[in-house]
Amino acid sequence: MSRMLYLFPKERAGVTYPYVYWDQMFTDDELKQVIDYCETLEKMDGTTVGKNGEQVTSNEARVSTIAWANPKEESQWIFDRFLWVADRLNERFYEFNLNGFESFQYTVYEANEDNPGKYDYHMDTIMGLDKPIEMAETRKLSMSLILSDEDEYEGGEFYIQTGSPDQDKLLKMEQKKGRCLAFPSFMIHGVAPVTKGTRRSIVVWVEGPKFK
């Protein structure tokens, strides 16, 4: 399998990169099959983790439509590709102790004048005493596969916070269709409001035992 692997900004020993990315994870034809499959999934409003680890809908923090996909005969090849890429990226750049993932999330952000699609700054790794008991493992490596062309939407910038917000320590990740962004799940990140069109992506959280 020939793929294009990219690193931000330069590979150096001992450095934890805020993100890395992989282009051409799927061919154009495969990407169309992925999108077509995602569109068959049952959709619901996006949620966030609230008090006591419960999933809650909050139009203040997150405005999106999501669908969950579990491994099935027709989707196993998608899971296999994500696992393969996650393993390559992790092996080279992070060296986390990972065990895999059980599902992926298809996420759609729509432009809306009154309540545009967005996801305020958050962390994928679930911290604190409210961690759900059923989460036996820790989210360690987050992956976001961009499914929309740049001309299909406006806004929707993907930022990672690398320092205090009042110091403008925000790193904008360049998005393009077919690019898979990967970053440590403890990095604070967010999707800016979509002001025009529709932004689609697949999100994966690769898990493993607690950091040590």
Side-chain angles (χ1 to χ4, degrees), residues 75-130:
S75 63
Q76 186 62 55
W77 67 281
I78 303 174
F79 282 80
D80 290 344
R81 190 70 55 83
F82 268 103
L83 285 169
W84 191 89
V85 170
D87 190 48
R88 302 286 85 72
L89 290 173
N90 182 60
E91 181 180 43
R92 180 172 176 183
F93 301 125
Y94 295 112
E95 298 183 343
F96 294 153
N97 187 359
L98 300 177
N99 290 329
F101 64 100
E102 295 180 352
S103 60
F104 70 72
Q105 185 184 104
Y106 174 53
T107 307
V108 179
Y109 298 94
E110 299 271 6
N112 183 301
E113 186 175 344
D114 297 324
N115 203 17
K118 65 167 187 173
Y119 200 164
D120 290 344
Y121 290 105
H122 63 284
M123 183 188 301
D124 291 339
T125 299
I126 298 176
M127 300 283 192
L129 299 176
D130 292 338

Side-chain angles (χ1 to χ4, degrees), residues 161-170:
Q161 183 177 309
T162 58
S164 173
D166 58 11
Q167 296 176 351
D168 295 324
K169 298 294 185 181
L170 298 177

Side-chain angles (χ1 to χ4, degrees), residues 14-189:
V15 171
T16 298
Y17 301 99
Y19 78 94
V20 294
Y21 61 94
W22 190 294
D23 281 345
Q24 301 178 1
M25 179 173 164
F26 295 95
T27 67
D28 290 342
D29 287 342
E30 289 174 337
L31 204 59
K32 183 180 184 306
Q33 293 177 51
V34 170
I35 295 171
D36 289 344
Y37 174 74
C38 288
E39 283 297 313
T40 68
L41 300 172
E42 182 180 355
K43 298 175 181 61
M44 63 192 76
D45 289 335
T47 61
T48 59
V49 178
K51 267 191 155 184
N52 302 317
E54 296 177 354
Q55 294 291 323
V56 297
T57 300
S58 172
N59 285 333
E60 293 183 4
R62 182 180 190 182
V63 181
S64 65
T65 302
I66 66 170
W68 290 99
N70 296 309
K72 296 181 178 180
E73 183 177 353
E74 63 269 28
S75 63
Q76 186 62 55
W77 67 281
I78 303 174
F79 282 80
D80 290 344
R81 190 70 55 83
F82 268 103
L83 285 169
W84 191 89
V85 170
D87 190 48
R88 302 286 85 72
L89 290 173
N90 182 60
E91 181 180 43
R92 180 172 176 183
F93 301 125
Y94 295 112
E95 298 183 343
F96 294 153
N97 187 359
L98 300 177
N99 290 329
F101 64 100
E102 295 180 352
S103 60
F104 70 72
Q105 185 184 104
Y106 174 53
T107 307
V108 179
Y109 298 94
E110 299 271 6
N112 183 301
E113 186 175 344
D114 297 324
N115 203 17
K118 65 167 187 173
Y119 200 164
D120 290 344
Y121 290 105
H122 63 284
M123 183 188 301
D124 291 339
T125 299
I126 298 176
M127 300 283 192
L129 299 176
D130 292 338
K131 181 175 179 179
I133 296 174
E134 65 271 16
M135 290 189 67
E137 295 198 305
T138 298
R139 292 177 177 176
K140 290 186 171 182
L141 184 67
S142 295
M143 305 174 72
S144 181
L145 175 66
I146 308 303
L147 299 177
S148 298
D149 280 315
E150 296 171 84
D151 60 0
E152 291 183 53
Y153 65 96
E154 293 179 4
E157 294 87 357
F158 199 165
Y159 289 102
I160 279 185
Q161 183 177 309
T162 58
S164 173
D166 58 11
Q167 296 176 351
D168 295 324
K169 298 294 185 181
L170 298 177
L171 184 65
K172 183 169 74 170
M173 292 181 275
E174 183 183 354
Q175 304 177 85
K176 67 178 183 178
K177 189 173 183 177
R179 171 168 291 179
C180 183
L181 302 161
F183 53 94
S185 298
F186 51 73
M187 297 296 295
I188 296 175
H189 59 285

